[in-house]
Amino acid sequence: MLDAEKLLSDRWRHVVTKGDGTAVLPECGRPTVPGLVSERACAFYGARWMLAAIPDVIHLVHGPAGCAYFGSIVRRKSYRVFSTQLEERDIVFGAGEKLYRAVLEAVATDPGARAVLVYATCSAGLIGDDLDGICKRAARAVGRPVVPVNSPGFCGYSQAAGHDIAAGVLLEHFIGTGKAQEPIANGVNLLGEFDVMGDLREIERLLQQLGLRILCAFSGKAATTAMADAHRARLNIVHCRRTGQRLADAMQERFGTPQLKVSFFGFEETASALRSIGKFFGSAGVEEIVERGRREVEGAAPFLKKLAGKRVALFFGASRMGTMARAFAELGMEVVMIGSQFGCLEDYRDAGARVRAGTVLIDDPPEKELEEFIRKHMPHLFVGGTKEKYLATKLGVPFLVFPQETSCFAGFRGFVNLAREVAGLVGAPVWRLAGRLPEI
Amino acid sequence: MRLREIPTDGIPYDRLCVEKIPAAPEYIPRDPELVPASNRSVVINPNRICMPIGAMWAVLGIHRAIPFVQGAQGCTTYARYTFCRIFKEPATIATASFHEDAAVFGGRKNVVEGIRNLVVRYWPEVIGVVTTCSSEIMGDDMVSFLKEARARLSREIGKEKVEEISVVLINTPSFAGSHVEGYDRASRAFLESLATTRDVPSERVNIIPGMLYPGDIREIKHLLREMGVGGTILFDISDTLDAPLNPPQEIPYYPPGGTPVSGIRQMANARATFALQPHAGGSGARYLERKFGIPAFIGPVPIGVAATDAFLQNLSRITGREIPASLRDERGRLVDAMADTLHHTMMKRVAIFGDPDVVIGMTRFACELGMTPVAVSSGTPSRTFEGEIESIFREYRELFLAEPRVFNGGDLFEFEEYLKTLPRLDLILGHSKGVDISRELEVPLVRVGFPIYDRFGYQKKPVVGYHGAELLLYEIVNELLDYRYPDDRTQQL
């Protein structure tokens, strides 16, 4: 019989504590250990997450009823979803013809759609239909692009694989397909921005003050017509690196569009984002905008008093770790844990450099490790996704869902919203009533 | 709902009518050929989920049980999101984490390692192994995989400890059936593998509630208590998915409650089995009847007066217990409420959609309220659905001015397009997927059935039993009032 420590050695290297000297980084980018309650999702999920908000196309899920049903609620919005709803006979005899007919019928019921996105799921991937061939044939029949999104759930090790697949689809079929070539002098694209609860509007407001216009945001504002002209932008602004970097690199290579990696979360990050974008365009008056922002951010002062020294644990998808750690530090909170579902070494390096010694860095934590962390350290706030929310609250820890559920957190105004919500959560009477956090 | 300005001065109360602004004035009628789902290969807005989530729902109703899903990570992530959104509770569901290698070489490694990892981290008492489309298409030999997993665990943690863990395999290929059948298969799988011997017959009854919410199960327990009948509820999610916030707790966190394994074993000794939803749990009841001769009462789900009466009468007949005065009073209060509000409910035209058993129950209750069901849709196709609905319609024939339309299977697109052709519709009864239809048609939606993820409290509020029907009636009446008389100054019952 092995001892307990040996039994669980499969996860050791994924959890590290930042030392005083050089930062140690957790092992990452590995397949999930089977049998854990993983917080990761599948490639189909990732592809849907990226592409779901494209408004003027038909989203057709080639798979069983479940994948279509689940795939219809993405990012807190409900959309019309088309599906082939595979059944037993399709699995046995193949579903190629069914898919072909489904595309034709989908276009007939929604004739205004500019294109059809066909998502492959696990079962579609396994029965081996010639997805590309069928889509080509259907495209000829309906006279508009029918684009395969080859995202069977088992692809890659997390939804990140789906992000890449979706990026590939956008690059190959939508971005820069417009005829006009001349650049738009003040045009920019936002890559990796999904317009959660009005974030995009706030970023747009700031960029407008610089005299800039967002041509296309992937995929918060990504109608096919906007994407077709995206190559005319002077600059690509990468907001979420995990979902935007690949697009940015490819567009740089193909169209020569330069890129800037920035973040609009937190005061300092937003200010430096505006400065670097302003510098690129040679805009005047950046400092005035930042100064106005500083005055706006003062609105957060009453909340910051309540947050000083409170401990916060952060758990994100991937590349938001570093910038959000900085934003929470600006709230006066102490980041005690930072983790991600599918971050890469660069993400952890970035995050590790921005947190204090003693902070736990954790890669792909399954549910139980999050539970253990919460029980052991009892942070004053946990930040993560919906799945983790109820676990933390059951243990008596306030929880902030990110991507957020109520107001925008981006930009200067968003920072005030963030401060207000975090203060509201941390200081809420319910936690005293629940019999915990006696120090508050 | 957007409304035109309502003039309230100088217009008699009975003349007051609401003029709606159509949500989609640009609506173009669809090609009639493409409206019926049976004419199409493409499904638009499906009205059912796949089998695994029904099985996961069931496993979460067992004490210290964890579902182990043999598939890709999305199969658990989506289900966990769904449970979190509905119940506002954590849902611990393990995944075999299929990646490309599993798709090529099969899922053996993922089962053997996965079960072992799950056990050494969580020490569950029960593992419900749920298959998915991918593992079923690959043809994983789950029985031998699970044997191997047990053998490996025995080597590592000792045979005795492994003996304490029940592993139940539920085959749920996602491309067949729906979530309802997933739950049904789970009920049979658990009884077949745990309730295997009848030794000391007891006076208790078995209840397989089907996919009902914690509030419903609490209501059923209340009925049993009032009747003085001991009952075992198979898949009792009333505490596991509606747990109190009492920190601090032990790690790993197991919610309180759930059906204990010993309770499931004892189900072979029960007096009778009540499967409240024939489509979700019926085969569990039939197994016990076939194997041990335990009488099975399969449906109807006790929604509304007559169905609750039938449930209590059957319970009374089989246990010899009288229906107590307290329950007669509850019934009386419900009927009183129905009489008090009849002028608002009568002759209202209602459309109902959802899972087959709930839709049947809702249809009967709507008829009891004097409403006219004009369209009834079951997301999951069923052999008995049309017959059941027709027998209700025959019973209440005098309510109908035109033939109600029945959809057995089909998607929400077809349902919505049909509703658009109706001259008038007053109410929609269905789950959260009907929000868009309700907005589009400007008809109020009363939420009932699975899933409800956009409102709070529905998971805790019963619709079954007399009390549940009363609560549902309130909701129906208030929605109708809000809709017909949106100006508060004119509202009076």
Side-chain angles (χ1 to χ4, degrees):
Chain A
M1 258 168 71
L2 300 167
D3 57 25
E5 285 197 341
K6 255 194 182 142
L7 285 170
L8 299 174
S9 63
D10 47 7
R11 286 275 316 155
W12 279 3
R13 289 187 305 275
H14 294 265
V15 188
V16 299
T17 306
K18 187 184 173 180
D20 290 312
T22 50
V24 207
L25 299 177
E27 187 165 304
C28 55
R30 309 281 304 160
T32 319
V33 179
L36 305 189
V37 183
S38 175
E39 302 296 337
R40 283 175 169 176
C42 63
F44 169 69
Y45 179 99
R48 282 292 293 152
W49 172 261
M50 258 291 276
L51 302 174
I54 301 177
D56 52 353
V57 304
I58 287 169
H59 299 268
L60 173 62
V61 179
H62 186 36
C67 293
Y69 196 97
F70 293 131
S72 64
I73 331 166
V74 187
R75 287 154 49 182
R76 298 175 58 79
K77 298 173 183 117
S78 66
Y79 302 91
R80 169 164 288 168
V81 159
F82 296 77
S83 168
T84 46
Q85 196 164 294
L86 295 182
E87 278 162 8
E88 209 146 3
R89 58 178 180 275
D90 306 317
I91 301 294
V92 177
F93 300 113
E97 270 314 299
K98 187 179 192 181
L99 174 61
Y100 177 75
R101 283 198 311 274
V103 173
L104 266 51
E105 290 163 4
V107 172
T109 55
D110 193 357
R114 299 293 187 105
V116 184
L117 292 178
V118 179
Y119 299 81
T121 58
C122 289
S123 33
L126 285 169
I127 57 179
D129 289 332
D130 172 20
L131 198 64
D132 293 6
I134 295 159
C135 286
K136 273 201 192 107
R137 189 152 67 89
R140 280 197 298 275
V142 297
R144 66 201 85 189
V146 178
V147 179
V149 184
N150 229 320
S151 56
F154 49 75
C155 267
Y157 55 81
S158 72
Q159 59 263 55
H163 297 326
D164 290 344
I165 292 162
V169 165
L170 293 178
L171 284 165
E172 197 177 332
H173 298 275
F174 295 103
I175 293 174
T177 50
K179 292 221 167 56
Q181 290 300 324
E182 72 285 7
I184 295 167
N186 64 346
V188 295
N189 295 321
L190 262 176
L191 309 184
E193 170 50 49
F194 297 94
D195 194 20
V196 178
M197 288 295 141
D199 277 353
L200 182 60
R201 213 178 313 139
E202 178 61 13
I203 296 170
E204 200 159 20
R205 189 182 71 91
L206 292 173
L207 294 180
Q208 270 165 3
Q209 293 177 12
L210 286 172
L212 301 178
R213 182 155 74 91
I214 296 175
L215 300 180
C216 189
F218 296 93
S219 55
K221 182 185 164 193
T224 51
T225 42
M227 285 194 281
D229 273 348
H231 63 294
R232 299 168 66 194
R234 287 274 314 281
L235 178 68
N236 276 334
I237 299 171
V238 183
H239 197 205
C240 170
R241 186 169 57 213
R242 187 62 199 80
T243 48
Q245 191 65 55
R246 217 189 117 157
L247 288 174
D249 291 345
M251 287 181 77
Q252 184 154 25
E253 195 180 310
R254 196 181 300 173
F255 309 111
T257 320
Q259 52 171 292
L260 263 180
K261 164 82 189 91
V262 300
S263 168
F264 289 96
F265 290 110
F267 173 76
E268 285 300 333
E269 292 284 345
T270 309
S272 77
L274 291 175
R275 285 190 188 113
S276 48
I277 296 166
K279 190 168 155 215
F280 178 88
F281 283 97
S283 326
V286 177
E287 286 312 314
E288 282 92 89
I289 300 170
V290 173
E291 197 43 49
R292 265 206 305 279
R294 197 185 302 279
R295 282 199 299 278
E296 275 174 341
V297 166
E298 275 165 20
F303 308 119
L304 299 191
K305 268 184 270 169
K306 297 180 181 169
L307 295 177
K310 296 277 189 284
R311 298 184 308 276
V312 59
L314 306 174
F315 178 54
F316 297 111
S319 61
R320 291 272 157 85
M321 283 186 288
T323 52
M324 287 307 280
R326 202 166 163 193
F328 277 91
E330 282 174 12
L331 293 177
M333 300 180 83
E334 185 191 341
V335 178
V336 289
M337 185 208 99
I338 193 152
S340 82
Q341 292 171 356
F342 46 82
C344 61
L345 267 184
E346 200 185 333
D347 297 329
Y348 286 108
R349 195 173 296 133
D350 194 31
R354 295 175 194 216
V355 292
R356 298 188 212 175
T359 303
V360 176
L361 290 144
I362 181 164
D363 172 62
D364 179 26
E367 187 200 57
K368 179 146 179 280
E369 286 173 26
L370 296 176
E371 272 180 326
E372 277 166 354
F373 183 88
I374 292 171
R375 281 292 286 131
K376 198 166 157 202
H377 298 275
M378 279 297 189
H380 296 91
L381 181 73
F382 203 100
V383 183
T386 311
K387 296 195 301 306
E388 298 88 57
K389 173 178 175 182
Y390 301 103
L391 189 80
T393 49
K394 272 285 180 294
L395 297 171
V397 171
F399 196 93
L400 177 74
V401 173
F402 192 94
Q404 64 273 24
E405 295 183 300
T406 44
S407 53
C408 101
F409 286 172
F412 301 122
R413 290 180 183 175
F415 182 73
V416 180
N417 291 341
L418 177 70
R420 188 189 62 236
E421 287 199 19
V422 170
L425 286 167
V426 171
V430 62
W431 310 115
R432 285 198 298 279
L433 300 173
R436 206 197 67 82
L437 297 181
E439 69 271 26
I440 290 179
Chain B
M1 182 172 29
R2 296 174 308 146
L3 299 162
R4 293 204 197 284
E5 196 65 32
I6 308 167
T8 47
D9 295 329
I11 296 182
Y13 188 63
D14 60 334
R15 295 277 175 79
L16 192 71
C17 73
V18 171
E19 199 181 341
K20 292 178 293 172
I21 303 168
E26 73 283 10
Y27 173 71
I28 319 153
R30 313 276 179 188
D31 179 358
E33 277 292 300
L34 285 176
V35 170
S38 53
N39 286 357
R40 278 183 274 128
S41 296
V42 73
V43 172
I44 311 174
N45 293 342
N47 188 13
R48 58 183 163 103
I49 321 184
C50 54
M51 274 216 258
I53 193 173
M56 289 178 227
W57 172 300
V59 178
L60 290 175
I62 293 175
H63 185 60
R64 287 183 76 89
I66 295 181
F68 175 90
V69 179
Q70 171 73 348
Q73 282 153 190
C75 301
T76 59
T77 303
Y78 273 124
R80 290 179 69 207
Y81 269 123
T82 305
F83 290 136
C84 285
R85 283 179 182 136
I86 294 173
F87 298 108
K88 313 290 177 203
E89 293 285 316
T92 301
I93 304 174
T95 171
S97 291
F98 273 15
H99 302 310
E100 278 101 340
D101 55 341
V104 178
F105 303 113
R108 171 187 297 263
K109 184 171 142 273
N110 298 65
V111 176
V112 177
E113 269 186 32
I115 294 279
R116 172 253 187 215
N117 287 332
L118 178 60
V119 168
V120 299
R121 278 184 171 76
Y122 280 88
W123 299 105
E125 283 175 19
V126 183
I127 299 174
V129 179
V130 179
T131 64
T132 60
C133 46
S134 34
S135 63
E136 293 283 343
I137 292 174
M138 294 179 324
D140 281 349
D141 178 4
M142 291 301 287
V143 176
S144 82
F145 291 2
L146 288 174
K147 246 184 221 145
E148 201 179 320
R150 272 187 175 261
R152 175 168 176 191
L153 261 180
S154 299
R155 283 198 304 277
E156 290 190 20
I157 63 168
K159 206 166 183 324
E160 310 77 56
K161 280 190 176 157
V162 178
E163 296 286 301
E164 289 167 12
I165 303 164
S166 311
V167 178
V168 176
L169 172 64
I170 312 156
N171 283 100
T172 50
S174 323
F175 45 78
S178 75
H179 55 286
V180 178
E181 195 181 341
Y183 186 100
D184 196 57
R185 288 193 180 197
S187 74
R188 195 177 62 221
F190 269 92
L191 290 172
E192 274 180 355
S193 63
L194 297 176
T196 47
T197 43
R198 186 170 169 91
D199 33 47
V200 191
S202 81
E203 282 304 302
R204 295 173 75 82
V205 297
N206 301 325
I207 308 269
I208 309 177
M211 293 179 82
L212 291 176
Y213 289 124
D216 295 313
I217 293 176
R218 294 223 168 96
E219 180 65 21
I220 288 158
K221 285 181 177 170
H222 159 75
L223 294 177
L224 292 177
R225 234 183 352 256
E226 293 294 313
M227 291 284 291
V229 175
T232 308
I233 292 177
L234 183 59
F235 310 134
D236 181 0
I237 60 166
S238 63
D239 290 321
T240 55
L241 289 174
D242 187 13
L245 201 168
N246 283 336
Q249 292 125 347
E250 286 179 4
I251 296 296
Y253 169 75
Y254 280 103
T259 319
V261 171
S262 57
I264 303 176
R265 290 190 205 286
Q266 285 301 317
M267 287 176 83
N269 287 321
R271 189 88 180 70
T273 308
F274 290 82
L276 302 184
Q277 297 194 359
H279 295 85
S283 49
R286 276 191 288 272
Y287 159 77
L288 289 176
E289 187 171 53
R290 218 173 33 243
K291 182 93 193 264
F292 304 111
I294 301 174
F297 295 89
I298 298 178
V301 60
I303 294 176
V305 187
T308 308
D309 288 351
F311 172 64
L312 292 178
Q313 277 158 358
N314 286 334
L315 202 58
S316 164
R317 201 174 312 136
I318 200 84
T319 59
R321 301 259 179 182
E322 290 255 327
I323 300 175
S326 62
L327 287 183
R328 289 180 192 280
D329 285 350
E330 269 183 37
R331 185 182 192 279
R333 277 193 290 274
L334 166 62
V335 177
D336 185 51
M338 287 164 67
D340 292 344
T341 55
L342 179 61
H343 56 300
H344 285 300
T345 57
M346 66 183 183
M347 296 174 100
K348 288 291 182 302
R349 292 160 60 88
V350 57
I352 304 166
F353 71 96
D355 295 341
D357 300 307
V358 175
V359 169
I360 291 168
M362 291 306 307
T363 306
R364 189 177 285 109
F365 184 49
C367 289
E368 285 172 353
L369 295 177
M371 298 171 125
T372 307
V374 286
V376 174
S377 164
S378 155
T380 304
S382 142
R383 280 200 304 276
T384 54
F385 181 72
E386 286 169 68
E388 291 260 0
I389 292 288
E390 252 138 51
S391 76
I392 298 170
F393 285 168
R394 264 200 307 279
E395 195 181 331
Y396 292 95
R397 196 184 296 135
E398 76 278 7
L399 289 176
F400 307 126
L401 299 172
E403 191 68 8
R405 177 79 183 267
V406 181
F407 297 89
N408 186 13
D411 52 20
L412 287 175
F413 175 79
E414 177 182 24
F415 188 62
E416 179 178 344
E417 292 301 313
Y418 176 70
L419 298 187
K420 278 177 182 164
T421 65
L422 293 172
R424 201 186 97 228
L425 184 66
D426 297 301
L427 188 71
I428 303 173
L429 289 169
H431 50 74
S432 294
K433 284 275 168 185
V435 171
D436 290 341
I437 302 178
S438 160
R439 289 267 161 79
E440 182 87 9
L441 301 176
E442 310 258 324
V443 169
L445 169 73
V446 169
R447 287 167 180 77
V448 59
F450 164 78
I452 300 172
Y453 46 74
D454 59 344
R455 287 291 182 276
F456 187 73
Y458 285 74
Q459 78 278 29
K460 296 161 183 274
K461 198 178 71 171
V463 296
V464 302
Y466 299 128
H467 182 57
E470 211 179 322
L471 293 178
L472 188 56
L473 171 64
Y474 303 159
E475 187 126 0
I476 290 173
V477 170
N478 292 338
E479 279 294 331
L480 287 170
L481 278 174
D482 250 357
Y483 173 68
R484 305 237 337 150
Y485 312 110
D487 188 309
D488 281 342
R489 287 166 294 175
T490 64
Q491 282 192 15
Q492 50 184 304
L493 267 168

